[in-house]
Amino acid sequence: VIAEVAGKIESVAPVFEVGGVFQKGEVLVRIDRSDYETALSAARADVARARLRLAEEEALAEQAMRDWNKLGAGEASDLVLRQPQLAEVRAAAEAAKAALALARKNLERTEVRAPYDGIVKEKFVDVGQFVTGLSGNALAVIYAIDFAEIRLPINDHELAFLNVTGFNGEKPSEENRPAVVLKAEFGGKAQQWEGVVDRTEGLIDARSRLVYIVAQVEDPYRMKTPGVGSPLPMGLFVEAEIEGKVIHDIFLLPRSALIDGDRMLV
């Protein structure tokens, strides 16, 4: 999270701390807005002056047209009819409007709002510090908690038993998303979480020769269902059981019927 305007931090939200959970649209940091309120007032005055100048120039242009129609001969030039002057003040009026819109936006940017439901991972500033805007220091590192993504390494042999697609960049349909059960020791207990395979990354790791599929778990911190199950914290290592393909016409053979692992005695 980086401030889009410069200024002194006036206040921070109570949740603006490492581990703090926030809602989308919640104000995390407030920057001193006095300079931006002044800039907004100045921009409004500039718009008023530009409108007045435009009205005057439009009246002069109309008068020039009437005078030419009465006294002139032939076709009048744009300069005589004050068209360049009119174009200039119209452009100045549009520029004043744009400056006013920017001043309003900068005033809004003094309140740094959460872009989504999330949690604070790292915090770098506090009340009283000065931030320098986009080219300066970051305020915090946050991440979303509406769902969690888990990268699962799969080798080519295991991939043959899974109903996953996505090597052409397409996501699987809802009915073709295999279920995933994640397991780990957390809080001194064996925990598990349910999710689905969302996609395949579509690349083979050059070093490990593994393919990564991405599983998703909705509401990992149980914000929507408090008290139901254990949260799935970011950074936890888990083991995954992935629902495989349903294969028909399968026969069970005794191990003694196999030779060299892939041939069968008949």
Side-chain angles (χ1 to χ4, degrees), residues 9 22 56 61 108 142 179 205 219 251:
I9 296 178
F22 51 82
E56 291 174 343
E108 293 174 3
I142 63 175
D205 188 280
D219 191 26
F251 300 91

Side-chain angles (χ1 to χ4, degrees), residues 69-104:
N69 290 335
K70 290 179 181 180
L71 306 174
E75 186 175 350
S77 67
D78 288 344
L79 190 60
V80 170
L81 298 179
R82 302 188 65 85
Q83 293 305 307
Q85 297 92 324
L86 185 58
E88 180 187 9
V89 295
R90 280 176 176 165
E94 291 300 318
K97 288 180 183 178
L100 177 60
L102 179 60
R104 285 198 184 106

Side-chain angles (χ1 to χ4, degrees), residues 4-128:
E4 295 183 86
V5 294
K8 184 179 179 180
I9 296 178
E10 284 192 331
S11 65
V12 298
V15 296
F16 189 68
E17 58 185 6
V18 176
V21 177
F22 51 82
Q23 304 295 318
K24 180 179 179 180
E26 188 172 353
V27 177
L28 301 178
V29 175
R30 282 189 170 89
I31 297 171
D32 182 16
R33 53 192 286 142
S34 57
D35 290 345
Y36 300 98
E37 288 173 340
T38 302
L40 180 59
S41 298
R44 285 174 176 155
D46 290 341
V47 168
R49 282 191 291 268
R51 286 175 177 170
L52 174 60
R53 183 75 183 90
L54 178 58
E56 291 174 343
E57 194 57 49
E58 286 174 342
L60 291 172
E62 290 177 1
Q63 185 61 48
M65 177 63 75
R66 287 194 296 267
D67 292 345
W68 182 262
N69 290 335
K70 290 179 181 180
L71 306 174
E75 186 175 350
S77 67
D78 288 344
L79 190 60
V80 170
L81 298 179
R82 302 188 65 85
Q83 293 305 307
Q85 297 92 324
L86 185 58
E88 180 187 9
V89 295
R90 280 176 176 165
E94 291 300 318
K97 288 180 183 178
L100 177 60
L102 179 60
R104 285 198 184 106
K105 193 68 177 177
N106 284 339
L107 184 59
E108 293 174 3
R109 287 169 175 165
T110 60
E111 292 185 342
V112 181
R113 295 182 178 272
Y116 42 69
D117 295 348
I119 190 170
V120 179
K121 181 180 180 182
E122 295 180 75
K123 171 185 173 182
F124 303 128
V125 297
D126 214 324
V127 176

Side-chain angles (χ1 to χ4, degrees), residues 19-265:
V21 177
F22 51 82
Q23 304 295 318
K24 180 179 179 180
E26 188 172 353
V27 177
L28 301 178
V29 175
R30 282 189 170 89
I31 297 171
D32 182 16
R33 53 192 286 142
S34 57
D35 290 345
Y36 300 98
E37 288 173 340
T38 302
L40 180 59
S41 298
R44 285 174 176 155
D46 290 341
V47 168
R49 282 191 291 268
R51 286 175 177 170
L52 174 60
R53 183 75 183 90
L54 178 58
E56 291 174 343
E57 194 57 49
E58 286 174 342
L60 291 172
E62 290 177 1
Q63 185 61 48
M65 177 63 75
R66 287 194 296 267
D67 292 345
W68 182 262
N69 290 335
K70 290 179 181 180
L71 306 174
E75 186 175 350
S77 67
D78 288 344
L79 190 60
V80 170
L81 298 179
R82 302 188 65 85
Q83 293 305 307
Q85 297 92 324
L86 185 58
E88 180 187 9
V89 295
R90 280 176 176 165
E94 291 300 318
K97 288 180 183 178
L100 177 60
L102 179 60
R104 285 198 184 106
K105 193 68 177 177
N106 284 339
L107 184 59
E108 293 174 3
R109 287 169 175 165
T110 60
E111 292 185 342
V112 181
R113 295 182 178 272
Y116 42 69
D117 295 348
I119 190 170
V120 179
K121 181 180 180 182
E122 295 180 75
K123 171 185 173 182
F124 303 128
V125 297
D126 214 324
V127 176
Q129 289 183 251
F130 189 90
V131 293
T132 54
L134 285 175
S135 61
N137 53 302
L139 305 181
V141 175
I142 63 175
Y143 52 81
I145 56 173
D146 50 348
F147 61 84
E149 288 193 341
I150 305 93
R151 297 175 74 236
L152 304 174
I154 305 293
N155 63 41
D156 179 64
H157 176 71
E158 293 171 327
L159 197 62
F161 296 99
L162 299 177
N163 186 26
V164 295
T165 57
F167 287 98
N168 57 355
E170 297 181 0
K171 284 193 175 185
S173 59
E174 288 295 329
E175 59 271 14
N176 290 328
R177 301 172 78 189
V180 179
V181 177
L182 305 173
K183 298 180 179 181
E185 287 283 337
F186 181 63
K189 298 179 181 179
Q191 307 283 357
Q192 70 177 39
W193 304 267
E194 295 181 357
V196 293
V197 172
D198 179 66
R199 65 188 182 278
T200 304
E201 289 191 351
L203 300 173
I204 298 176
D205 188 280
R207 291 174 296 180
S208 65
R209 311 308 299 167
L210 298 175
V211 175
Y212 283 87
I213 65 175
V214 180
Q216 274 191 5
V217 176
E218 295 291 331
D219 191 26
Y221 280 83
R222 300 296 185 256
M223 301 300 296
K224 299 176 183 176
T225 55
V228 179
S230 174
L232 173 60
M234 300 297 178
L236 181 69
F237 281 92
V238 296
E239 293 183 352
E241 291 182 0
I242 307 172
E243 179 185 19
K245 292 181 180 177
V246 176
I247 304 176
H248 302 283
D249 298 327
I250 298 297
F251 300 91
L252 183 65
L253 298 176
R255 185 173 296 276
S256 59
L258 297 179
I259 299 176
D260 298 332
D262 62 352
R263 294 191 297 161
M264 182 181 69
L265 289 170

